[in-house]
Amino acid sequence: MSGETLNRKKTFGAWTGGFKRAAVIMVLATACIPWSSGVHAAAAQEDIRVVIFADLGSKYKATVPAVTLKSSGSLSVGQNSGGSFQAWMGLPDSTARFSVDSYRVKVFEGNEATAIKAAQALQKTNDKPTVFIGSKNGSSVYQVYAGLYASEQSAQAAVQRISLATGAQAEVKGNKHWSTGSYGTEQEANLVRTTIAAAGFDAFTVIQSRGQYAVWVGEESNDSKLSALKTELESKQPRLTLSKVNTTQTGLILRQEAGVTTGSQAMSHYMLSGSNNSKVIVNGGNNGIQVVERSQRIYRGDMEIGMTSGQLALVNEVPLEQYLYSVVGAEVYSSWPDEALKAQAVAARSYALAQGNRFQIGNVVDGTLSQAYNGKSSEHANVNEAVEATAGEVIKSGGKVVEAVFSSNAGGVTADASEVWNSGGEAFASVDSSGDTSAQKGAQEWYHVLLSSGKTGYIREDNAKELEGVTEAGLDKITVTAENTNVRPIPQIQSTVTPVAKAQPGEEMIVLEKVPQSGDYAWVRGPFTAAQIAKSLQGKITGTVPSSINHLDVTKRGPSGRVLEVEADGTPLKVKYPDMYRSAMGGLPSTLFDIASTGSYTVLGADGVTTHISGTQGTQILSASGTSTSSGNGVVVMNEDRHARVIDKTQSFIFTGKGNGHGLGLSQWGANGLAEQGYDYKKILQHYYKNVDIVKD
């Protein structure tokens, strides 16, 4: 596409003011960030910016030293100018590597074998290597670099550990260069570069715009080193006219990368130089662009190469409706009824258009802080049709687009705003979400059993058969149907978790209760020890983490029954907002949960006073022969609902709950259930969002 100008749609919002872009962000079903209620963008936006890699501090951080971009068609690189793409050049082989001209560590320069050895040593560390092929003193040379780093100081700190890992004498390099002037063709620039490199200096051909090239010499980290380089250059190359390159000058430094760290053949590598305002666009036409470092996903739209905090920033700019193809396909099942897909599309679009530039250089990230976005891999014809059928439709309240947050499964009832982020609006209230049970359709149930060893666990119903008769407490008994049947710690197959025990046919087990398989609707997590809970609380609560935890109790609940407060041994564990209890308690699916202790139980006395009884204290049993104390493992207690559990001498905590996600707004599984009952997408949305209109802007 070299020399071709491509027309682009009008876009809204801005990163740096150089050109306008859309402003959107989405919410992930199970890991969302609180919304900003004061930001509302125009509904006429067409393109959005998706941050894939960047260092945005506490907002988002996902970094790589370089990205590999590929296309089944042609790729070209250039800049946007006047609302259109201006190509600088086509990329050979429709593949290239990109990085930024920031602080880095030069690890080694020499022969191929030693370079490979150094790179392999660094692959196992956080100082990821890149290997370039250059020319010096008339011979080919391999150069190993590590990083990128945000500052000269952080790069210098890396030198010691890199030298220790590789045995090489590493040194800090940076973005300070001397320029020998401008040239009209790449060939002219290459001739000058070759002459300088033959004298033993690092020299690079740089493209500065379409048809404008330069040669830069050196890659120094500070002005002192740059000045010393000039003195040496002038002594060996007195005819050179040198000027200091402005560090804000946008340019693409052209290099050749060996395939040592990418597992491929040598390829072109382009280092973007300049400031945070500098950027170039990679255009893939209609074929999409594959990002190898992002699970080899293929994305529609363009890729923008930029820099933030000295790190590579990769932003995908894509039309909003095409973005929704991927988002809706990643969020819900394409086999769901059309009306459920439409409801998801309108909710996602509405949330998008309410955001603004939340992530500074973009509107949304492609990770769990925003909305699941997997590129073309999650698209499906059914989903695309639902997006197109609702094109431009949004949810409005009071004339403004509603920030229509949603979650995977509300557990039968949606959350009130006070139960999630202590903020919200008139569109949000706790409502029935009985359609959430559709997530359990076809799922097996599990027996919660007590083994003769005193251990407890779960066995799936199709691996067991019920026995005749019951225990004296009226509890059922089962045995298993196959040898070495796994007894699981929770009612879910977890291939990476060691089973509690192996059960054999003929072995009798007491059934404590029968529960649904852990999934999006109902779930069990744990058991977690007190030490594990304490570790999870680190950085999640506003006060001091307890040194020991004997009891955990839910002491406050909101309108839907979600947890508002948890106490440890009578002291509240305070969080910034209630939904943080999910992460504070070890990554629970929702805050609609109860806590049970394996080593204690609570007795409600006739006077209304509750008492914690520990398994180590022993249990008082009143029988016809009098009162006795039972101690040791395996004591079964039962509540008024005939739910039984086992008390032993070791204290840990089991969480049982319903729902998956924050539970506010649309429940995806609930929408599916309502669609199966015949509701159309507008009725579904007006059930989950109150006092709203569905309009097309």
Side-chain angles (χ1 to χ4, degrees):
M1 290 188 176
S2 180
E4 183 178 2
T5 299
L6 303 178
N7 292 325
R8 297 289 292 155
K9 294 181 180 179
K10 184 179 180 182
T11 55
F12 298 81
W15 172 10
T16 62
F19 53 92
K20 294 183 177 179
R21 297 293 181 197
V24 300
I25 191 170
M26 311 295 291
V27 137
L28 182 70
T30 59
C32 306
I33 56 178
W35 70 76
S36 173
S37 59
V39 179
H40 295 279
Q45 298 166 342
E46 294 184 4
D47 280 16
I48 68 170
R49 295 169 57 81
V50 186
V51 181
I52 298 178
F53 292 115
D55 182 356
L56 302 177
S58 60
K59 284 189 175 182
Y60 179 74
K61 187 171 184 177
T63 59
V64 289
V67 291
T68 310
L69 304 183
K70 295 183 176 182
S71 177
S72 59
S74 59
L75 284 177
S76 56
V77 62
Q79 286 187 322
N80 280 338
S81 178
S84 62
F85 174 71
Q86 181 73 35
W88 288 0
M89 60 182 175
L91 300 180
D93 304 320
S94 296
T95 181
R97 293 267 285 171
F98 289 87
S99 64
V100 294
D101 187 20
S102 183
Y103 293 101
R104 52 199 176 274
V105 173
K106 190 172 186 179
V107 180
F108 171 81
E109 180 176 281
N111 62 62
E112 180 181 8
T114 308
I116 291 174
K117 184 178 179 181
Q120 289 174 339
L122 290 175
Q123 283 279 55
K124 305 172 185 177
T125 71
N126 292 326
D127 301 293
K128 298 303 181 185
T130 303
V131 182
F132 293 113
I133 305 174
S135 176
K136 265 189 176 182
N137 299 312
S139 301
S140 294
V141 63
Y142 284 76
Q143 299 172 321
V144 182
Y145 291 81
L148 303 164
Y149 306 97
S151 66
E152 184 178 9
Q153 291 74 20
S154 58
Q156 189 61 52
V159 166
Q160 184 175 357
R161 61 177 181 265
I162 290 171
S163 298
L164 185 64
T166 63
Q169 294 299 310
E171 59 178 327
V172 177
K173 293 295 182 181
N175 62 348
K176 295 182 179 293
H177 315 275
W178 292 108
S179 174
T180 65
S182 297
Y183 308 91
T185 67
E186 185 176 351
Q187 291 74 17
E188 288 180 75
N190 283 340
L191 286 173
V192 176
R193 174 185 58 79
T194 301
T195 300
I196 298 171
F201 296 96
D202 288 309
F204 315 100
T205 298
V206 180
I207 180 170
Q208 296 178 310
S209 65
R210 184 182 176 188
Q212 183 179 356
Y213 295 84
V215 174
W216 292 356
V217 187
E219 46 179 351
E220 304 307 327
S221 58
N222 56 55
D223 287 333
S224 176
K225 291 181 179 179
L226 189 66
S227 178
L229 174 63
K230 183 179 182 182
T231 300
E232 187 178 2
L233 274 167
E234 290 175 339
S235 68
K236 294 184 178 181
Q237 299 277 302
R239 295 185 179 182
L240 288 178
T241 300
L242 300 173
S243 61
K244 187 177 179 180
V245 177
N246 190 323
T247 55
T248 64
Q249 168 70 53
T250 300
L252 277 179
I253 301 172
L254 311 184
R255 305 191 72 163
Q256 188 74 3
E257 184 177 346
V260 175
T261 60
T262 59
S264 62
Q265 296 181 341
M267 68 179 75
S268 299
H269 186 118
Y270 302 88
M271 294 176 62
L272 175 68
S273 184
S275 66
N276 285 350
N277 293 330
S278 299
K279 51 191 172 286
V280 293
I281 306 298
V282 179
N283 182 279
N286 295 322
N287 295 286
I289 299 175
Q290 182 183 54
V291 181
V292 174
E293 289 73 19
R294 204 50 146 186
S295 303
Q296 303 192 48
R297 293 171 182 163
I298 298 174
Y299 298 89
R300 294 176 181 267
D302 296 337
M303 289 294 168
E304 179 182 276
I305 310 294
M307 186 188 313
T308 59
S309 301
Q311 299 286 342
L312 169 71
L314 181 69
V315 177
N316 177 209
E317 185 179 14
V318 60
L320 172 60
E321 299 301 311
Q322 293 180 13
Y323 172 73
L324 292 176
Y325 293 164
S326 174
V327 166
V328 177
E331 278 293 336
V332 296
Y333 293 100
S334 60
S335 59
W336 279 5
D338 291 344
E339 299 306 305
L341 299 180
K342 291 176 185 177
Q344 178 65 58
V346 175
R349 185 184 296 110
S350 301
Y351 188 90
L353 293 174
Q355 293 310 293
N357 290 332
R358 175 165 292 192
F359 289 95
Q360 300 166 339
I361 63 172
N363 320 116
V364 60
V365 300
D366 74 333
T368 58
L369 284 178
S370 300
Q371 173 66 24
Y373 175 58
N374 301 328
K376 296 178 73 173
S377 64
S378 59
E379 293 183 13
H380 189 278
N382 293 349
V383 171
N384 294 7
E385 289 174 7
V387 172
E388 291 165 1
T390 63
E393 291 189 24
V394 294
I395 307 166
K396 278 193 170 183
S397 176
K400 293 182 178 180
V401 177
V402 172
E403 196 169 15
V405 294
F406 51 84
S407 66
S408 176
N409 192 301
V413 58
T414 67
D416 184 82
S418 64
E419 299 173 303
V420 183
W421 297 311
N422 291 321
S423 60
E426 294 182 358
F428 299 96
S430 178
V431 300
D432 172 79
S433 188
S434 54
D436 288 324
T437 57
S438 62
Q440 289 190 134
K441 189 180 297 184
Q444 297 277 358
E445 290 199 314
W446 292 62
Y447 292 105
H448 187 197
V449 299
L450 169 63
L451 306 177
S452 59
S453 64
K455 294 181 178 180
T456 63
Y458 295 85
I459 295 174
R460 203 169 64 186
E461 61 179 345
D462 60 339
N463 293 323
K465 66 177 182 179
E466 294 188 6
L467 300 174
E468 293 184 2
V470 295
T471 68
E472 292 181 0
L475 297 175
D476 293 325
K477 296 181 291 185
I478 64 165
T479 188
V480 297
T481 56
E483 292 184 0
N484 297 318
T485 297
N486 288 320
V487 182
R488 303 283 183 180
I490 67 172
Q492 185 182 58
I493 295 175
Q494 299 171 293
S495 58
T496 59
V497 178
T498 303
V500 172
K502 301 275 189 180
Q504 307 300 333
E507 180 182 350
E508 292 188 3
M509 289 155 277
I510 297 173
V511 178
L512 301 172
E513 60 180 334
K514 197 173 184 181
V515 300
Q517 179 166 297
S518 280
D520 283 319
Y521 178 70
W523 49 266
V524 179
R525 293 291 185 272
F528 301 125
T529 66
Q532 288 174 318
I533 293 292
K535 183 177 180 180
S536 182
L537 292 173
Q538 295 285 350
K540 312 286 178 46
I541 61 174
T542 57
T544 303
V545 174
S547 57
S548 63
I549 301 174
N550 296 309
H551 309 291
L552 278 177
D553 299 289
V554 176
T555 50
K556 289 183 183 179
R557 294 185 184 273
S560 75
R562 283 170 169 78
V563 172
L564 295 181
E565 183 182 80
V566 175
E567 287 186 357
D569 299 335
T571 301
L573 300 173
K574 295 188 178 298
V575 293
K576 291 182 179 179
Y577 47 85
D579 195 58
M580 278 196 71
Y581 278 120
R582 284 198 286 158
S583 59
M585 295 296 162
L588 302 180
S590 78
T591 57
L592 194 58
F593 63 77
D594 293 306
I595 308 173
S597 302
T598 63
S600 65
Y601 59 97
T602 303
V603 175
L604 176 63
D607 57 358
V609 176
T610 59
T611 304
H612 288 291
I613 306 297
S614 170
T616 59
Q617 295 176 246
T619 301
Q620 296 293 315
I621 300 174
L622 179 63
S623 66
S625 59
T627 301
S628 62
T629 300
S630 174
S631 61
N633 293 339
V635 175
V636 179
V637 296
M638 185 183 300
N639 67 9
E640 61 182 349
D641 297 322
R642 294 190 61 78
H643 290 158
R645 61 188 179 92
V646 175
I647 306 301
D648 58 35
K649 290 184 177 182
T650 59
Q651 180 69 302
S652 57
F653 304 97
I654 296 174
F655 295 80
T656 59
K658 291 182 178 179
N660 187 5
H662 52 68
L664 195 64
L666 176 77
S667 169
Q668 293 168 324
W669 276 104
N672 174 63
L674 290 178
E676 289 178 341
Q677 296 174 35
Y679 286 74
D680 68 23
Y681 72 98
K682 291 186 178 181
K683 291 293 185 183
I684 293 171
L685 291 170
Q686 288 172 330
H687 172 76
Y688 283 107
Y689 305 102
K690 312 312 294 181
N691 306 310
V692 299
D693 297 309
I694 315 301
V695 299
K696 187 168 185 175
D697 278 14

